[in-house]
Amino acid sequence: MDTDKHQILSNWTPEYEVLSSGQTRLTFNVHLRAPEVVDDDSKRSTAALSAVIDTSSSMEGEKIRLVKSACEFMVSQMSPKDKLGLVEYNSVTREVFQLSRTSEDFKTEASRMIKSMCPQARTNLSGGLFLGFEQQQKNQYLDWEKEEESENAPDLSDTVSVQSSFVDVEMRDTDTFSEASFIDIDPPEGAAAAPTSDQSSTAHAPVPAPAPAPAPASAPAPAPAPAPAPAPTVPVHPTPPQAAPTPCQQPRQQPRPILRNPRHPVGRFGLDGGRVPVPPSRLLAGREAPKPRVLEADAVRSIFLFTDGLANEGVTSQEKLVGTLGKLLANASHKVRVCTFGFGDDHSPELLGELARAGGGTYYYIEKEDGIATAFGDALGGLLSVAAQNVTLDFVPAKGVRARGVHCAFANSVSAEGVQSVAVGDLFSEENKDILFDVELDPIEPGGEGWEEDGASFTIGTLRLKYLDVVGACLGSEELQCVVTRAKVLPAGMQSDVGVAVQRARVETARAMQEAEACARSERYGPASDNLRVLMSNLRLLGQNPNLRGTDAQLVDQLVYDCEEACTNVSTKQAYMSKGNKILWAKMRGHEQQRTACREDADSALAGMQAPAHTYATPTQMGMRTKSKSMMGVNRTHPS
């Protein structure tokens, strides 16, 4: 089919080109490829990123240094049109700064504040994640270089403040999570209003005593009260000493009391637990924060969550935490992608993997501390190169054809009319996606108009693609007719398409890894390895297909390598608990999404096996990896 540089619906490939005229089934692959987004900030959407950083005590040392370095790299790569917010969490959560336009002056100030973060206490992961989500849903940002408000910048100062507490939420099937339903700032009538964040950071005026009752006319005049002693004068902002210690050398102040809405005490879900109210950000030599502005409608919103441990304060149940995030995102006014970064051996890959899955993002396992350069380069490179948003693929079956399933990790459904819909989401510049469909065809009567000796053309349905074209700044739509040949007698020696077989192998590998991880989690290490070895034998047979070449051959090599590695990682309890479960989750999600999600295999090549050359990383992500490694001091170069 004819294509142009902006076309995403690249092609469709049936497993067999000729089908029986009788009752039959067919699997076909739909290949999507996003257009290139040139390295020009004016040609892409605004990126709105909330970085949510774990500053618990376990992050002390090299981990927090590398996270700070990654965040400084993030700041340096964002253009003046982008927006950045920062949340840190330990036992408490704190919005270090609100979403703000990344002007040059703001970048300097943001880097200074990132450097000042110091690890302490425990891990309230839920508090940090939900505060990052709230930051995105407020749909506003600060512009520190434009204090004079233009006509296009409405006054949002009366909207929900960044210090608003989450209310208690009872998890029921009928609950919905929108901004209005989980944020409440008005106390009930007759209840004492909670102090504002500005009041919490300044001295409160004493409450005047009740006035005495008037004395009877016949009573003697009371003796004059002695004059009160003058109150000592205390400066509101004392002058700091000349030689101030570095941020991490300063003694940590005790957090101020948490302000809670009296109508909604913290309940069993504890969504507001640990939130520390702070006054509005005072950046750039103490200037007051400007009035908020409305975020661009086409902004690409993301949350990057960094942690090295388990959630041990706030919401600690994985089921509740993932379920709450899923409901929040499902009812959100603005779509947000959540990417998670797990450091070392102590975090829960299942929790971070499920959070990323619920948030439509990627879980990155940082096995070695310098691996953050690769993972962060991939994540940031994707965020800054979105080519198409809200991509939806529909298969509309023709008469006599029924959709029987779709093999992908994306949300999908079938309408009452039989239309199979797949919500692909966002596509990065030059990113590839493959989606397998199963259909069933009713028998047809051979002969009649259009029927030839070798069969007749038969339309099985229509593919329809809809998306927001970031490159063209418009809504895009494409259609493609799916036509096969149906014959009474099939050609001798007809072979299935090897490309479809490779994509089926990718899907089966991800599924086998998930099953192996579940077996190993229940300490059934033998069955976990056995299932993978059966799949590995089939993959090696596929690798011997003479028609296999190019990127398909590289992908099969990668699948064999990953299965071999997975067998090792689930062979014993020690192998599984140390890092095997993390690698399994990252590789499984990577193959599901067709996105790179793990450390480079050259860092830990298996004995007797060369690390494969295949990668899901796009050219933009590869370039961002190189920049990230250079800035973070990772000088080794590995093949990717």
Side-chain angles (χ1 to χ4, degrees):
M1 84 186 230
D2 295 333
T3 62
D4 59 48
K5 65 178 181 179
H6 291 321
Q7 198 160 30
I8 295 176
L9 187 53
S10 180
N11 59 66
W12 86 289
T13 305
E15 186 172 17
Y16 296 96
E17 293 185 354
V18 182
L19 304 178
S20 168
S21 59
Q23 185 88 16
T24 188
R25 296 177 70 100
L26 173 69
T27 298
F28 63 88
N29 182 58
V30 179
H31 182 71
L32 308 179
R33 180 174 174 82
E36 179 184 4
V37 177
V38 297
D39 190 11
D40 181 352
D41 291 331
S42 65
K43 299 294 185 182
R44 64 171 176 84
S45 294
T46 296
L49 173 61
S50 293
V52 180
I53 311 298
D54 180 354
T55 55
S56 61
S57 57
S58 60
M59 290 290 289
E60 189 77 56
E62 187 69 3
K63 292 178 183 177
I64 194 66
R65 185 194 70 78
L66 285 167
V67 171
K68 289 180 181 181
S69 178
C71 289
E72 289 187 66
F73 173 73
M74 168 180 66
V75 171
S76 71
Q77 296 302 306
M78 301 187 83
S79 77
K81 68 186 289 185
D82 297 324
K83 316 299 184 294
L84 176 66
L86 181 63
V87 172
E88 68 167 321
Y89 66 95
N90 38 70
S91 287
V92 296
T93 60
R94 184 171 73 93
E95 186 175 53
V96 180
F97 51 78
Q98 303 175 51
L99 278 177
S100 300
R101 187 175 72 85
T102 48
S103 62
E104 290 304 316
D105 285 347
F106 175 77
K107 285 183 177 183
T108 301
E109 196 72 0
S111 294
R112 179 184 67 79
M113 298 187 76
I114 289 169
K115 291 176 181 176
S116 71
M117 294 189 301
C118 300
Q120 64 169 343
R122 290 160 65 84
T123 309
N124 185 359
L125 187 149
S126 63
L129 177 59
F130 292 140
L131 184 52
F133 175 83
E134 181 182 344
Q135 188 178 74
Q136 289 288 330
Q137 292 305 301
K138 285 169 66 63
N139 198 41
Q140 53 185 258
Y141 70 96
L142 304 180
D143 190 339
W144 293 88
E145 289 192 356
K146 295 182 180 179
E147 297 186 52
E148 295 295 330
E149 299 297 317
S150 68
E151 295 181 359
N152 294 327
D155 183 359
L156 302 178
S157 58
D158 291 333
T159 58
V160 179
S161 69
V162 297
Q163 292 82 33
S164 302
S165 293
F166 286 102
V167 303
D168 179 37
V169 178
E170 291 292 328
M171 291 298 295
R172 296 183 298 270
D173 292 340
T174 57
D175 283 343
T176 58
F177 287 72
S178 63
E179 185 171 357
S181 67
F182 71 82
I183 298 177
D184 192 350
I185 60 175
D186 296 321
E189 184 176 353
T196 65
S197 56
D198 287 338
Q199 291 170 335
S200 69
S201 61
T202 58
H204 294 281
V207 179
S218 60
T233 302
V234 179
V236 177
H237 301 288
T239 305
Q242 294 297 321
T246 60
C248 286
Q249 293 172 333
Q250 295 179 2
R252 301 287 294 196
Q253 295 181 350
Q254 292 297 318
R256 289 185 291 275
I258 299 168
L259 305 182
R260 306 194 190 281
N261 189 312
R263 193 192 319 175
H264 297 288
V266 175
R268 66 180 181 86
F269 218 68
L271 293 184
D272 64 341
R275 173 107 32 119
V276 173
V278 295
S281 302
R282 299 178 66 88
L283 306 176
L284 301 173
R287 293 211 312 257
E288 288 287 347
K291 292 181 179 179
R293 294 166 174 256
V294 178
L295 195 61
E296 291 88 339
D298 66 341
V300 180
R301 296 171 171 85
S302 293
I303 297 172
F304 285 3
L305 175 71
F306 298 82
T307 186
D308 75 329
L310 302 172
N312 51 33
E313 288 202 4
V315 182
T316 58
S317 164
Q318 174 179 313
E319 181 180 359
K320 291 180 180 179
L321 185 51
V322 175
T324 301
L325 178 64
K327 288 193 175 184
L328 288 171
L329 292 170
N331 293 278
S333 302
H334 308 283
K335 181 183 176 183
V336 182
R337 182 168 60 245
V338 179
C339 293
T340 58
F341 300 77
F343 293 81
D345 298 336
D346 296 329
H347 71 273
S348 167
E350 187 179 5
L351 172 61
L352 296 188
E354 291 293 358
L355 287 174
R357 176 179 282 166
T362 303
Y363 158 59
Y364 295 93
Y365 168 43
I366 315 299
E367 179 182 356
K368 298 181 180 180
E369 292 175 345
D370 58 8
I372 191 173
T374 298
F376 199 77
D378 286 342
L380 189 61
L383 173 65
L384 298 181
S385 66
V386 173
Q389 293 181 269
N390 303 324
V391 179
T392 302
L393 176 65
D394 292 340
F395 172 67
V396 184
K399 183 178 179 180
V401 179
R402 291 170 299 283
R404 289 305 190 196
V406 60
H407 304 282
C408 66
F410 308 117
N412 59 87
S413 61
V414 180
S415 71
E417 295 75 24
V419 177
Q420 180 87 61
S421 296
V422 181
V424 180
D426 296 345
L427 294 179
F428 303 152
S429 173
E430 300 178 87
E431 186 175 31
N432 296 284
K433 289 286 183 283
D434 293 276
I435 303 169
L436 292 171
F437 289 83
D438 289 336
V439 294
E440 184 176 17
L441 290 73
D442 288 342
I444 61 173
E445 188 66 30
E449 184 178 356
W451 193 272
E452 299 179 1
E453 184 177 350
D454 55 354
S457 295
F458 183 86
T459 299
I460 65 171
T462 303
L463 292 166
R464 294 175 180 167
L465 193 73
K466 296 181 180 179
Y467 54 92
L468 173 62
D469 183 355
V470 175
V471 178
C474 62
L475 294 176
S477 62
E478 301 171 22
E479 284 195 6
L480 179 62
Q481 295 290 319
C482 302
V483 182
V484 296
T485 298
R486 299 191 70 174
K488 186 175 182 179
V489 179
L490 298 179
M494 183 177 63
Q495 295 183 348
S496 62
D497 184 88
V498 69
V500 175
V502 169
Q503 294 306 320
R504 180 184 283 114
R506 173 183 61 81
V507 172
E508 291 176 351
T509 299
R511 185 180 298 121
M513 287 182 171
Q514 186 171 9
E515 293 171 353
E517 197 278 333
C519 286
R521 198 180 335 130
S522 60
E523 299 188 0
R524 295 184 294 123
Y525 303 107
S529 298
D530 293 343
N531 295 339
L532 288 168
R533 294 193 186 282
V534 171
L535 175 61
M536 196 159 44
S537 297
N538 295 333
L539 290 172
R540 288 198 170 104
L541 288 175
L542 177 60
Q544 298 172 8
N545 190 311
N547 297 321
L548 190 68
R549 57 179 60 88
T551 56
D552 282 343
Q554 292 178 353
L555 176 54
V556 172
D557 288 344
Q558 180 73 59
L559 297 177
V560 172
Y561 182 94
D562 289 347
C563 283
E564 184 73 44
E565 183 182 41
C567 286
T568 301
N569 288 328
V570 298
S571 58
T572 65
K573 183 174 182 178
Q574 180 180 1
Y576 172 75
M577 294 302 298
S578 61
K579 65 179 182 179
N581 53 353
K582 285 87 173 172
I583 296 176
L584 270 174
W585 264 96
K587 290 291 183 78
M588 175 185 69
R589 285 293 289 155
H591 290 310
E592 282 181 347
Q593 296 179 302
Q594 291 177 278
R595 282 184 176 166
T596 181
C598 202
R599 80 280 188 264
E600 293 166 307
D601 288 311
D603 285 340
S604 54
L606 296 172
M609 294 187 69
Q610 182 178 0
H614 176 268
T615 180
Y616 291 120
T618 67
T620 302
Q621 289 175 311
M622 296 297 290
M624 194 65 75
R625 281 186 188 183
T626 301
K627 291 181 182 179
S628 179
K629 289 178 181 180
S630 176
M631 181 169 177
M632 296 183 202
V634 181
N635 298 318
R636 311 194 305 274
T637 302
H638 300 301
S640 299

